[in-house]
């Protein structure tokens, strides 16, 4: 019997782990682990601004694929892989860049950055976004309220006034808006800033001119090259930035209409910037009174004359109100010219913005509906108009009462008439 040759029996091969369909570059990889679970990984943004490979796990390739898609989408929007990595300071940077900047005016952005850097970050900037409490917010607001303003040059700090309640309210509003975005992006379960009540600001004191003062000022400004600007300001209540950003393409002298569509602002660090009006309602089309149409016609003739005198040095901007060489008017220079004309007219000094208040007060005193005044001024809500100009309402109500008396009172009995007959 021949020798038996034993051939080694090969060990059974381990089942090869399944791999998911190959994904494109940057989408991450998906594979099945030895324990049967599925895993994947992708490079995504972290809280400190760097990128790292982050793993995810699931019971199926489809579940892992969905998780990878989600974290990559968040990363592409500038959100970190885990919300727990955010601090208030780091999230504020993200919010300003990705949320606030695309939709706010340049001057508003500067204001927001100042409020965040001066009042928010120094107090709660190092707090984790997910660990912020109402007590933290109250502490921040209290410290903001105790802050001293810059004051006059050389003024001792203890003599400088504290910031206004309006500033504290703005600090609270910025934080509330920032945390609302974090809630919408599911980084937070609730907005703790909404649980804290900010101090109510004092009602703004306005000092509008009476009709006689407005007439005296316009008479004194009659020979000034920007006379028409002051007419528009008093007649239509445009803001300074709206006046300086007004273009001839926005004015239809034949139809008597004026469109408010852009503003001019000088922004710290950016120079002169053209941008949209303050709000959606601030974009408006206004019917011009005859006095405005006449003033703008005269102004256009003067500007054409100045263009000829410039002899090639004219800078075409398309703006209605310019310097003698066509350049934009500096906001500070307009304030200076306004102050000098006040002295010439001998009227009570007011701020340039009070020309807007004068317009509204004159309209309301003349019996124009507050709703119409709201549309002319471009206020976002009727409550804004009523809150600012509530002091005019009593006089209007008294006049209305007089009209009712005249309409409903019985005629007085003539002498000798017998009331019993």
């Amino acid at each position: 019997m021949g020798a038996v040759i034993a051939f080694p029996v090969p060990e059974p091969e381990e089942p090869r782990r399944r791999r998911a369909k190959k994904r494109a570059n940057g989408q991450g990889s998906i594979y099945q682990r030895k324990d049967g679970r599925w895993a994947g990984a992708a490079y995504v943004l972290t809280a400190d601004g760097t990128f790292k490979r982050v793993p995810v796990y699931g019971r199926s390739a489809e579940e892992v694929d969905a998780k990878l898609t989600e974290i990559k989408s968040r990363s592409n929007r500038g959100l970190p892989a885990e919300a727990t990595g955010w601090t208030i300071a780091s999230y504020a940077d993200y919010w300003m860049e990705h949320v606030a900047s695309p939709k706010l005016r340049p001057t508003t952005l500067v204001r927001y950055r100042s409020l965040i850097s001066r009042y928010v970050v120094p107090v709660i900037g190092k707090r984790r976004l997910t660990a912020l409490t109402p007590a933290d917010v109250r502490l921040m607001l209290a410290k903001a309220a105790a802050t001293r303003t810059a004051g006059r040059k050389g003024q001792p700090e203890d003599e400088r006034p504290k910031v206004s309640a309006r500033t504290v309210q703005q600090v609270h509003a910025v934080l509330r808006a920032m945390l609302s975005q974090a809630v919408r992006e599911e980084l937070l379960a609730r907005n703790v800033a909404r649980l804290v009540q900010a101090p109510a600001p004092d009602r703004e004191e306005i000092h509008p001119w009476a009709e006689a003062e407005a007439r005296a000022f316009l008479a004194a400004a009659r020979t000034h090259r920007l006379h028409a600007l002051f007419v528009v300001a008093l007649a239509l209540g445009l803001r300074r930035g709206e006046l300086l950003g007004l273009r001839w393409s926005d004015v239809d002298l034949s139809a008597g209409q004026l469109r408010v569509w852009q503003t001019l602002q000088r922004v710290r660090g950016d120079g002169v910037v053209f941008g949209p009006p303050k709000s959606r309602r601030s974009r408006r089309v206004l019917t011009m009174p005859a006095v405005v149409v006449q003033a703008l016609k005269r102004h256009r003739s003067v500007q054409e004359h100045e263009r000829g005198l410039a002899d090639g040095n004219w800078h075409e901007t398309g703006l209605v109100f310019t310097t003698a060489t066509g350049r934009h008017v500096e906001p500070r220079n307009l304030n200076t010219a306004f102050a000098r004309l006040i002295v010439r007219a001998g009227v009570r000094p007011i701020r340039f913005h009070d020309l807007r208040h004068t317009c509204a007060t004159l309209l309301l005193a003349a019996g124009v509906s507050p709703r119409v005044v709201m549309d002319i001024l471009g206020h976002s809500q009727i409550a804004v108009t009523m809150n600012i100009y509530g002091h005019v309402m009593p006089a209007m109500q008294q006049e209305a009462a007089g009209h009712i008396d005249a309409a409903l009172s019985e005629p007085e009995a003539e002498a000798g008439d017998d009331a019993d007959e």
Side-chain angles (χ1 to χ4, degrees), residues 223-282:
T223 57
H224 194 278
R225 57 181 307 278
L226 293 179
H227 171 258
L229 181 148
F230 299 115
V231 174
V232 176
L234 280 167
L236 295 176
L238 268 64
R239 301 175 178 91
R240 185 181 66 177
E242 295 170 346
L243 290 162
L244 297 183
L246 187 65
R247 300 162 296 192
W248 282 116
S249 59
D250 297 323
V251 178
D252 188 338
L253 294 175
S254 299
Q257 289 189 328
L258 179 151
R259 185 176 68 163
V260 181
W261 224 248
Q262 77 166 6
T263 64
L264 181 151
Q265 308 282 344
R266 175 164 284 282
V267 179
R268 189 186 314 154
D270 294 331
V272 171
V273 175
F274 291 94
K278 186 175 183 180
S279 66
R280 183 179 59 84
R281 289 300 300 268
S282 293

Coordinates of all heavy atoms in Angstrom, one line a residue, residues 223-282:
T223 N -29.1 131.4 -1.2 CA -28.0 131.6 -2.1 C -26.9 130.5 -2.0 O -25.9 130.5 -2.7 CB -27.3 133.0 -1.9 OG1 -26.9 133.0 -0.5 CG2 -28.3 134.1 -2.2
H224 N -27.1 129.6 -1.1 CA -26.1 128.5 -0.9 C -26.3 127.5 -2.1 O -27.4 127.2 -2.5 CB -26.3 127.8 0.4 CG -25.2 127.0 0.8 ND1 -25.0 125.7 0.4 CD2 -24.1 127.2 1.6 CE1 -23.9 125.1 0.9 NE2 -23.4 126.1 1.7
R225 N -25.2 126.9 -2.5 CA -25.2 126.0 -3.7 C -26.0 124.7 -3.3 O -26.4 124.0 -4.2 CB -23.8 125.7 -4.2 CG -22.9 125.1 -3.1 CD -21.5 124.8 -3.7 NE -21.6 124.0 -5.0 CZ -21.7 122.7 -4.9 NH1 -21.8 122.1 -3.8 NH2 -21.8 122.1 -6.1
L226 N -26.1 124.4 -2.0 CA -26.9 123.2 -1.6 C -28.3 123.5 -1.1 O -28.8 122.8 -0.3 CB -26.1 122.4 -0.6 CG -24.8 121.7 -1.1 CD1 -24.1 121.0 0.0 CD2 -25.0 120.8 -2.3
H227 N -28.8 124.7 -1.5 CA -30.1 125.1 -1.0 C -31.2 124.0 -1.3 O -32.0 123.7 -0.4 CB -30.5 126.4 -1.7 CG -31.9 126.8 -1.5 ND1 -32.9 126.6 -2.4 CD2 -32.5 127.3 -0.4 CE1 -34.1 127.0 -2.0 NE2 -33.9 127.5 -0.7
A228 N -31.1 123.4 -2.5 CA -32.1 122.4 -2.8 C -32.0 121.2 -1.9 O -33.1 120.5 -1.6 CB -31.9 121.9 -4.3
L229 N -30.8 120.8 -1.4 CA -30.7 119.7 -0.5 C -31.5 120.0 0.8 O -32.2 119.1 1.3 CB -29.2 119.5 -0.1 CG -28.9 118.3 0.8 CD1 -27.5 117.7 0.4 CD2 -28.9 118.7 2.3
F230 N -31.4 121.2 1.3 CA -32.1 121.5 2.5 C -33.6 121.6 2.3 O -34.4 121.2 3.2 CB -31.6 122.9 3.1 CG -30.2 122.9 3.4 CD1 -29.3 123.7 2.7 CD2 -29.7 122.0 4.4 CE1 -27.9 123.6 3.1 CE2 -28.3 122.0 4.8 CZ -27.5 122.8 4.1
V231 N -34.1 122.0 1.1 CA -35.5 122.0 0.7 C -36.0 120.5 0.8 O -37.1 120.2 1.3 CB -35.7 122.6 -0.6 CG1 -37.2 122.4 -1.0 CG2 -35.3 124.1 -0.6
V232 N -35.3 119.6 0.1 CA -35.7 118.2 0.1 C -35.7 117.6 1.5 O -36.6 116.9 1.9 CB -34.7 117.4 -0.8 CG1 -35.1 115.9 -0.7 CG2 -34.8 117.9 -2.2
A233 N -34.7 118.0 2.3 CA -34.6 117.4 3.7 C -35.9 117.9 4.5 O -36.5 117.1 5.2 CB -33.4 117.9 4.4
L234 N -36.3 119.1 4.4 CA -37.4 119.7 5.2 C -38.7 119.2 4.6 O -39.7 119.0 5.3 CB -37.3 121.2 5.2 CG -36.3 121.8 6.2 CD1 -36.1 123.3 6.0 CD2 -36.9 121.5 7.7
A235 N -38.8 119.1 3.3 CA -40.1 118.8 2.6 C -40.4 117.3 2.6 O -41.6 116.9 2.7 CB -40.1 119.3 1.2
L236 N -39.4 116.4 2.5 CA -39.6 115.0 2.4 C -39.0 114.2 3.5 O -39.2 113.0 3.6 CB -39.1 114.5 1.0 CG -39.8 115.1 -0.2 CD1 -39.1 114.6 -1.5 CD2 -41.2 114.7 -0.2
G237 N -38.2 114.8 4.4 CA -37.7 114.1 5.5 C -36.6 113.1 5.2 O -36.5 112.1 6.0
L238 N -35.9 113.2 4.1 CA -34.8 112.2 3.8 C -33.7 112.3 4.8 O -33.4 113.4 5.4 CB -34.2 112.5 2.4 CG -34.9 111.7 1.3 CD1 -36.4 112.1 1.1 CD2 -34.1 111.9 0.0
R239 N -33.1 111.2 5.1 CA -31.9 111.1 6.0 C -30.7 111.7 5.3 O -30.7 111.8 4.1 CB -31.7 109.6 6.5 CG -32.8 109.0 7.2 CD -32.5 107.5 7.4 NE -33.6 106.8 8.2 CZ -34.6 106.2 7.6 NH1 -34.7 106.1 6.3 NH2 -35.5 105.6 8.3
R240 N -29.7 112.0 6.1 CA -28.5 112.6 5.5 C -27.9 111.7 4.4 O -27.5 112.1 3.3 CB -27.5 112.9 6.6 CG -26.2 113.6 6.1 CD -25.2 113.9 7.2 NE -24.7 112.7 7.7 CZ -23.7 112.6 8.6 NH1 -23.3 113.7 9.2 NH2 -23.3 111.4 9.1
G241 N -27.7 110.4 4.8 CA -27.1 109.5 3.8 C -28.0 109.3 2.6 O -27.5 109.1 1.5
E242 N -29.3 109.4 2.7 CA -30.2 109.2 1.6 C -30.1 110.5 0.7 O -30.1 110.3 -0.6 CB -31.7 109.1 2.1 CG -31.9 107.8 2.8 CD -33.3 107.7 3.5 OE1 -33.9 108.8 3.6 OE2 -33.7 106.6 3.9
L243 N -29.9 111.6 1.2 CA -29.7 112.8 0.5 C -28.4 112.8 -0.3 O -28.4 113.1 -1.5 CB -29.8 114.1 1.4 CG -31.1 114.4 2.0 CD1 -30.9 115.4 3.2 CD2 -32.0 115.1 1.0
L244 N -27.4 112.4 0.3 CA -26.0 112.4 -0.3 C -25.9 111.3 -1.3 O -25.0 111.4 -2.2 CB -24.9 112.3 0.8 CG -24.9 113.5 1.8 CD1 -23.7 113.3 2.7 CD2 -24.8 114.8 1.0
G245 N -26.7 110.3 -1.2 CA -26.6 109.2 -2.2 C -27.7 109.3 -3.3 O -27.7 108.4 -4.2
L246 N -28.5 110.3 -3.3 CA -29.5 110.5 -4.3 C -28.9 110.8 -5.7 O -28.0 111.6 -5.8 CB -30.4 111.7 -3.9 CG -31.6 111.9 -4.8 CD1 -32.6 110.8 -4.6 CD2 -32.3 113.3 -4.4
R247 N -29.4 110.1 -6.7 CA -28.9 110.2 -8.1 C -29.9 110.8 -8.9 O -31.1 110.7 -8.7 CB -28.5 108.8 -8.6 CG -27.4 108.0 -7.9 CD -27.5 106.6 -8.2 NE -28.7 105.9 -7.8 CZ -28.9 104.6 -7.7 NH1 -27.9 103.8 -8.1 NH2 -30.0 104.1 -7.4
W248 N -29.5 111.5 -10.0 CA -30.4 112.1 -10.9 C -31.3 111.0 -11.6 O -32.4 111.3 -12.0 CB -29.7 112.9 -12.0 CG -29.2 114.2 -11.6 CD1 -27.9 114.6 -11.4 CD2 -30.0 115.3 -11.1 NE1 -27.8 115.9 -11.0 CE2 -29.1 116.4 -10.8 CE3 -31.4 115.5 -11.0 CZ2 -29.6 117.6 -10.3 CZ3 -31.8 116.7 -10.6 CH2 -31.0 117.8 -10.2
S249 N -30.8 109.8 -11.7 CA -31.6 108.7 -12.3 C -32.7 108.3 -11.3 O -33.6 107.6 -11.7 CB -30.7 107.5 -12.5 OG -30.1 107.0 -11.3
D250 N -32.7 108.8 -10.1 CA -33.7 108.5 -9.1 C -34.8 109.6 -9.1 O -35.7 109.5 -8.3 CB -33.2 108.3 -7.7 CG -32.2 107.1 -7.6 OD1 -32.5 106.1 -8.3 OD2 -31.2 107.2 -6.9
V251 N -34.6 110.7 -9.9 CA -35.4 111.8 -9.8 C -36.1 112.0 -11.2 O -35.5 112.0 -12.2 CB -34.6 113.1 -9.5 CG1 -35.6 114.3 -9.5 CG2 -34.0 113.0 -8.1
D252 N -37.5 112.1 -11.1 CA -38.2 112.4 -12.3 C -39.0 113.7 -12.1 O -40.0 113.8 -11.5 CB -39.2 111.2 -12.6 CG -40.0 111.3 -13.9 OD1 -40.0 112.4 -14.5 OD2 -40.5 110.3 -14.4
L253 N -38.3 114.8 -12.7 CA -38.9 116.1 -12.5 C -40.2 116.3 -13.2 O -41.1 117.0 -12.8 CB -37.9 117.1 -12.9 CG -36.6 117.2 -12.0 CD1 -35.6 118.2 -12.6 CD2 -36.9 117.6 -10.6
S254 N -40.4 115.6 -14.3 CA -41.6 115.7 -15.1 C -42.8 115.1 -14.4 O -43.9 115.7 -14.3 CB -41.4 115.0 -16.5 OG -40.4 115.7 -17.2
A255 N -42.6 113.9 -13.8 CA -43.6 113.2 -13.1 C -43.7 113.7 -11.7 O -44.7 113.3 -11.0 CB -43.4 111.7 -13.1
G256 N -42.7 114.4 -11.2 CA -42.8 114.9 -9.8 C -42.5 113.8 -8.8 O -43.1 113.8 -7.7
Q257 N -41.7 112.8 -9.1 CA -41.4 111.7 -8.2 C -39.9 111.6 -7.9 O -39.1 111.9 -8.8 CB -42.0 110.4 -8.8 CG -43.5 110.3 -8.8 CD -44.0 109.0 -9.1 OE1 -43.4 108.2 -9.9 NE2 -45.1 108.6 -8.6
L258 N -39.6 111.1 -6.8 CA -38.3 110.9 -6.3 C -38.2 109.6 -5.7 O -39.0 109.2 -4.9 CB -37.9 112.0 -5.3 CG -36.5 112.0 -4.6 CD1 -36.1 113.5 -4.3 CD2 -36.5 111.2 -3.4
R259 N -37.1 108.8 -6.0 CA -37.0 107.4 -5.5 C -35.8 107.4 -4.6 O -34.7 107.8 -4.9 CB -36.8 106.5 -6.7 CG -36.7 105.0 -6.3 CD -36.6 104.1 -7.5 NE -35.3 104.3 -8.2 CZ -34.8 103.4 -9.1 NH1 -35.5 102.4 -9.4 NH2 -33.6 103.6 -9.6
V260 N -36.0 106.9 -3.4 CA -34.9 106.7 -2.4 C -34.4 105.2 -2.6 O -35.1 104.3 -2.2 CB -35.4 107.0 -1.0 CG1 -34.3 106.8 0.0 CG2 -36.0 108.3 -0.9
W261 N -33.2 105.1 -3.1 CA -32.8 103.7 -3.5 C -31.4 103.4 -3.0 O -31.0 102.3 -2.9 CB -32.9 103.5 -5.0 CG -33.4 102.2 -5.3 CD1 -32.8 101.1 -5.9 CD2 -34.8 101.7 -5.1 NE1 -33.6 100.1 -6.1 CE2 -34.9 100.4 -5.6 CE3 -35.9 102.3 -4.6 CZ2 -36.1 99.7 -5.6 CZ3 -37.1 101.6 -4.5 CH2 -37.2 100.3 -5.0
Q262 N -30.6 104.4 -2.6 CA -29.2 104.2 -2.1 C -28.8 105.3 -1.1 O -29.4 106.3 -1.1 CB -28.2 104.1 -3.2 CG -27.8 105.4 -3.8 CD -26.5 105.2 -4.7 OE1 -26.0 104.1 -4.9 NE2 -26.0 106.4 -5.1
T263 N -27.8 105.0 -0.3 CA -27.3 105.9 0.7 C -25.8 106.1 0.5 O -25.1 105.2 -0.1 CB -27.6 105.5 2.1 OG1 -26.9 104.3 2.4 CG2 -29.1 105.3 2.3
L264 N -25.3 107.2 1.0 CA -23.8 107.4 1.0 C -23.4 107.5 2.5 O -24.0 108.3 3.2 CB -23.5 108.6 0.2 CG -22.0 109.0 0.2 CD1 -21.7 109.8 -1.2 CD2 -21.5 109.9 1.3
Q265 N -22.5 106.7 2.9 CA -22.0 106.8 4.3 C -20.5 106.7 4.3 O -19.8 106.1 3.4 CB -22.5 105.5 5.1 CG -24.0 105.3 5.0 CD -24.7 106.2 5.9 OE1 -24.2 106.8 6.8 NE2 -26.1 106.3 5.7
R266 N -19.9 107.4 5.2 CA -18.4 107.3 5.5 C -18.3 106.3 6.6 O -18.7 106.5 7.7 CB -17.8 108.6 5.8 CG -16.3 108.5 6.2 CD -15.5 109.8 6.1 NE -15.2 110.2 4.8 CZ -14.3 109.7 4.0 NH1 -13.5 108.7 4.4 NH2 -14.1 110.2 2.8
V267 N -17.6 105.2 6.3 CA -17.4 104.1 7.2 C -16.0 104.0 7.7 O -15.1 104.1 6.8 CB -17.8 102.7 6.6 CG1 -17.6 101.6 7.5 CG2 -19.3 102.8 6.1
R268 N -15.8 103.9 9.0 CA -14.4 103.9 9.5 C -13.7 102.7 8.9 O -14.1 101.5 9.0 CB -14.5 103.7 11.0 CG -13.1 103.9 11.7 CD -13.3 103.6 13.2 NE -14.5 104.3 13.8 CZ -15.1 103.8 14.8 NH1 -14.7 102.7 15.4 NH2 -16.2 104.5 15.3
G269 N -12.5 103.0 8.3 CA -11.7 101.9 7.7 C -12.0 101.6 6.3 O -11.2 101.1 5.6
D270 N -13.2 102.0 5.8 CA -13.6 101.7 4.4 C -13.8 102.9 3.6 O -13.9 102.8 2.4 CB -14.9 100.9 4.4 CG -14.7 99.5 5.0 OD1 -13.6 98.9 5.0 OD2 -15.7 98.9 5.6
G271 N -13.8 104.1 4.2 CA -14.0 105.3 3.4 C -15.5 105.5 3.1 O -16.3 105.1 3.8
V272 N -15.7 106.2 2.0 CA -17.1 106.4 1.6 C -17.7 105.2 0.9 O -17.0 104.6 0.0 CB -17.1 107.6 0.6 CG1 -18.5 107.8 0.0 CG2 -16.7 108.9 1.3
V273 N -18.8 104.8 1.3 CA -19.5 103.6 0.9 C -20.9 103.9 0.4 O -21.6 104.6 1.2 CB -19.5 102.5 2.0 CG1 -20.2 101.3 1.5 CG2 -18.0 102.1 2.3
F274 N -21.3 103.4 -0.7 CA -22.7 103.4 -1.2 C -23.3 102.1 -0.8 O -22.8 101.0 -1.0 CB -22.8 103.7 -2.7 CG -22.3 105.0 -3.1 CD1 -21.0 105.2 -3.5 CD2 -23.2 106.1 -3.1 CE1 -20.6 106.5 -3.9 CE2 -22.8 107.3 -3.5 CZ -21.5 107.5 -3.9
G275 N -24.5 102.2 -0.3 CA -25.2 101.0 0.1 C -26.7 101.2 0.1 O -27.2 102.3 -0.3
P276 N -27.5 100.2 0.4 CA -29.0 100.3 0.4 C -29.5 101.1 1.6 O -28.8 101.4 2.5 CB -29.4 98.8 0.6 CG -28.3 98.2 1.3 CD -27.0 98.9 0.9
P277 N -30.7 101.6 1.5 CA -31.3 102.4 2.6 C -31.4 101.5 3.9 O -31.1 100.3 3.9 CB -32.7 102.7 2.1 CG -32.5 102.7 0.6 CD -31.6 101.6 0.3
K278 N -31.8 102.2 5.0 CA -31.7 101.5 6.3 C -32.5 100.3 6.4 O -32.1 99.3 7.0 CB -32.3 102.6 7.3 CG -32.1 102.1 8.8 CD -32.6 103.2 9.7 CE -32.4 102.8 11.2 NZ -32.8 103.9 12.1
S279 N -33.7 100.2 5.7 CA -34.5 99.0 5.8 C -35.3 98.9 4.5 O -35.2 99.7 3.6 CB -35.5 99.1 7.0 OG -36.5 100.2 6.7
R280 N -36.0 97.7 4.4 CA -36.8 97.5 3.1 C -37.8 98.6 2.9 O -38.0 99.1 1.8 CB -37.5 96.1 3.2 CG -38.3 95.8 2.0 CD -38.9 94.4 2.1 NE -39.8 94.3 3.3 CZ -41.1 94.8 3.2 NH1 -41.6 95.2 2.1 NH2 -41.8 94.7 4.3
R281 N -38.5 99.1 4.0 CA -39.5 100.1 3.9 C -38.8 101.5 3.6 O -39.5 102.4 3.1 CB -40.3 100.2 5.2 CG -41.2 99.1 5.5 CD -42.3 99.0 4.4 NE -43.1 100.2 4.2 CZ -44.2 100.4 4.8 NH1 -44.7 99.4 5.6 NH2 -44.9 101.5 4.7
S282 N -37.5 101.6 3.8 CA -36.8 102.8 3.5 C -36.6 103.0 2.0 O -36.4 104.1 1.6 CB -35.5 102.9 4.2 OG -35.6 103.0 5.6

